[in-house]
Amino acid sequence: MKVIMDLCVVPIGVGVSVSKYVVACHEILSKAGLKTELHAYGTNIEGEWDEVMAAVKECHEHIHRMGAPRITTTIKLGTRTDRDQTMTDKVDSVKTKLA
Amino acid sequence: MKVIMDLCVVPIGVGVSVSKYVVACHEILSKAGLKTELHAYGTNIEGEWDEVMAAVKECHEHIHRMGAPRITTTIKLGTRTDRDQTMTDKVDSVKTKLA
Amino acid sequence: MKVIMDLCVVPIGVGVSVSKYVVACHEILSKAGLKTELHAYGTNIEGEWDEVMAAVKECHEHIHRMGAPRITTTIKLGTRTDRDQTMTDKVDSVKTKLA
Amino acid sequence: MKVIMDLCVVPIGVGVSVSKYVVACHEILSKAGLKTELHAYGTNIEGEWDEVMAAVKECHEHIHRMGAPRITTTIKLGTRTDRDQTMTDKVDSVKTKLA
């Protein structure tokens, strides 16, 4: 089962700047061979369910090891059985309808 | 790694009423032995990361089998290493501070 | 336009315990006369769109005044035109289908 | 108060394809003069709180008028008082740390 996910990991208790944790997550996702797209409020990920979820777990474990005592994460995730759809398809299906 | 999750599964392309799919999810989570708490915009779940995530995957697979061609899910999930915390603890920590 | 919302406000840069900020939000929502239901990963709110949104804004302003330099909030919100539905209706529509 | 938002509007009860509703939202946000960035699981928006929220409300009203009886929306939104930060700043703060 393929999934398209929007992942936003927020470490708590490590001060106001969280970009180094986002960088660490990004590296974990890349090493896992997942297709990712960084945006201003999270990272979009495309891949097989189990691989994506394993990477999300690794992000949590790694960020705790980096010293964050608490993490709150917001995820949106979509699956469909009617047809294959990539992240690029999703954006294109909107962009082609914009004048 | 223990997780507290808020899960909201939305089947798309099956009309306006989605309660039977929420019921099916609830049964999957219960059969998995997970502690759950239904609320008006999702279900809170408490358990070990792998068990919770396996149940979420089963919800998606099952809802597709029930006929939903597309699912979009919103998840909030929290982990912490500083101390154990249950769903009940979280609610109590607020309620005891309310007059 | 009536809305049912799930609100989860996370102050960043104020340490690991955030319950006093959740309490402050809860008091703002109550003073606004909104129907609320606290759960383990947020607060459900029911009311008119403008009143609910004004209260959410007041939560952000107040939490900043309490000293939080940064806030990240996750919201789910639902509107419908086919029929009136309360938070209680939503929970009941699932619970009556559970054995 | 400036806000950076991630907005994902999901019309329910209108079938499996929702791109025309996303297009309509995008046009509303653009006409409101808001800075937006479309991605594969939503739209990022930057602007003053009241203007952004007014546009979100208009999206809901307009999508109902287009015929969707039910809408469920997921929003992430961030405010900060320690410094100004744009969507571009957020992405850059991560990208500059990636080798």
Side-chain angles (χ1 to χ4, degrees):
Chain A
M1 186 165 52
K2 259 197 59 179
V3 65
I4 294 179
M5 179 185 282
D6 176 47
L7 175 69
C8 179
V9 177
V10 179
I12 298 175
V14 292
V16 92
S17 174
V18 301
S19 59
K20 75 172 175 178
Y21 303 93
V22 177
V23 169
C25 278
H26 201 80
E27 288 169 346
I28 287 166
L29 298 167
S30 295
K31 271 178 204 162
L34 297 166
K35 206 167 170 179
T36 61
E37 201 67 58
L38 183 72
H39 62 80
Y41 222 127
T43 302
N44 292 334
I45 312 167
E46 180 183 319
E48 282 299 315
W49 180 290
D50 290 342
E51 291 167 31
V52 173
M53 286 301 189
V56 173
K57 186 185 179 188
E58 209 182 321
C59 288
H60 268 247
E61 290 172 334
H62 188 72
I63 289 174
H64 282 309
R65 278 195 304 267
M66 287 172 77
R70 189 174 187 179
I71 304 170
T72 186
T73 288
T74 301
I75 288 172
K76 288 176 284 189
L77 67 86
T79 57
R80 55 195 307 176
T81 52
D82 55 338
R83 64 182 184 94
D84 267 337
Q85 190 186 38
T86 65
M87 299 192 294
T88 310
D89 293 337
K90 286 188 78 177
V91 171
D92 287 351
S93 73
V94 174
K95 287 208 169 155
T96 56
K97 289 190 185 81
L98 291 169
Chain B
M1 185 164 54
K2 258 198 58 180
V3 65
I4 293 178
M5 178 185 283
D6 176 48
L7 174 70
C8 179
V9 177
V10 179
I12 298 176
V14 292
V16 92
S17 173
V18 301
S19 59
K20 75 172 175 179
Y21 303 93
V22 177
V23 169
C25 278
H26 201 81
E27 288 169 347
I28 287 166
L29 298 167
S30 296
K31 272 177 202 161
L34 297 167
K35 207 167 169 178
T36 61
E37 201 68 58
L38 184 71
H39 62 80
Y41 222 127
T43 302
N44 293 334
I45 312 166
E46 180 184 319
E48 282 299 313
W49 181 289
D50 290 343
E51 291 167 31
V52 173
M53 286 303 189
V56 173
K57 186 185 179 187
E58 210 183 320
C59 287
H60 268 248
E61 290 172 334
H62 188 72
I63 289 174
H64 282 310
R65 276 196 306 266
M66 287 172 77
R70 188 174 188 179
I71 305 170
T72 187
T73 288
T74 302
I75 288 171
K76 290 176 283 189
L77 66 86
T79 57
R80 55 195 308 175
T81 52
D82 55 338
R83 63 184 185 91
D84 267 337
Q85 190 186 38
T86 65
M87 298 191 294
T88 310
D89 292 337
K90 287 189 77 178
V91 171
D92 287 351
S93 73
V94 174
K95 287 207 168 155
T96 57
K97 290 188 185 80
L98 292 169
Chain C
M1 186 164 52
K2 259 197 57 179
V3 65
I4 293 179
M5 178 186 283
D6 176 48
L7 175 70
C8 179
V9 177
V10 179
I12 298 176
V14 292
V16 93
S17 174
V18 300
S19 60
K20 74 171 175 178
Y21 303 94
V22 176
V23 169
C25 279
H26 201 80
E27 288 169 346
I28 287 166
L29 297 166
S30 296
K31 271 178 204 161
L34 298 166
K35 207 167 169 180
T36 62
E37 201 66 60
L38 183 73
H39 63 79
Y41 222 128
T43 302
N44 292 334
I45 311 167
E46 182 184 318
E48 281 300 313
W49 181 289
D50 291 342
E51 291 167 30
V52 173
M53 286 303 188
V56 173
K57 186 185 179 188
E58 208 182 322
C59 288
H60 268 249
E61 290 173 334
H62 188 72
I63 289 175
H64 282 310
R65 278 196 303 267
M66 287 172 77
R70 188 174 187 178
I71 305 170
T72 186
T73 288
T74 301
I75 288 171
K76 290 176 283 189
L77 65 88
T79 58
R80 55 195 308 175
T81 52
D82 56 337
R83 65 182 183 94
D84 267 336
Q85 191 186 38
T86 64
M87 298 192 294
T88 310
D89 292 337
K90 287 189 77 178
V91 171
D92 286 350
S93 74
V94 174
K95 285 207 170 157
T96 57
K97 290 190 184 80
L98 291 169
Chain D
M1 184 164 54
K2 258 197 58 179
V3 64
I4 294 178
M5 179 186 282
D6 177 49
L7 175 70
C8 179
V9 177
V10 179
I12 298 176
V14 291
V16 93
S17 174
V18 301
S19 59
K20 74 171 174 177
Y21 303 93
V22 177
V23 169
C25 279
H26 201 80
E27 288 169 347
I28 287 166
L29 298 167
S30 296
K31 272 177 203 162
L34 298 166
K35 207 167 168 180
T36 61
E37 200 68 59
L38 184 72
H39 62 80
Y41 223 127
T43 302
N44 293 333
I45 311 167
E46 181 184 320
E48 282 299 314
W49 182 287
D50 290 342
E51 291 167 31
V52 173
M53 286 303 187
V56 173
K57 186 185 178 188
E58 208 182 321
C59 288
H60 268 248
E61 290 172 334
H62 187 73
I63 289 174
H64 281 309
R65 277 196 303 267
M66 287 173 77
R70 188 174 187 179
I71 305 171
T72 186
T73 288
T74 302
I75 288 172
K76 291 175 282 188
L77 66 87
T79 56
R80 54 195 308 175
T81 51
D82 55 337
R83 65 183 183 92
D84 268 337
Q85 189 186 39
T86 65
M87 298 193 294
T88 310
D89 293 337
K90 286 189 78 177
V91 171
D92 286 351
S93 74
V94 173
K95 285 208 169 156
T96 57
K97 290 189 184 81
L98 291 169

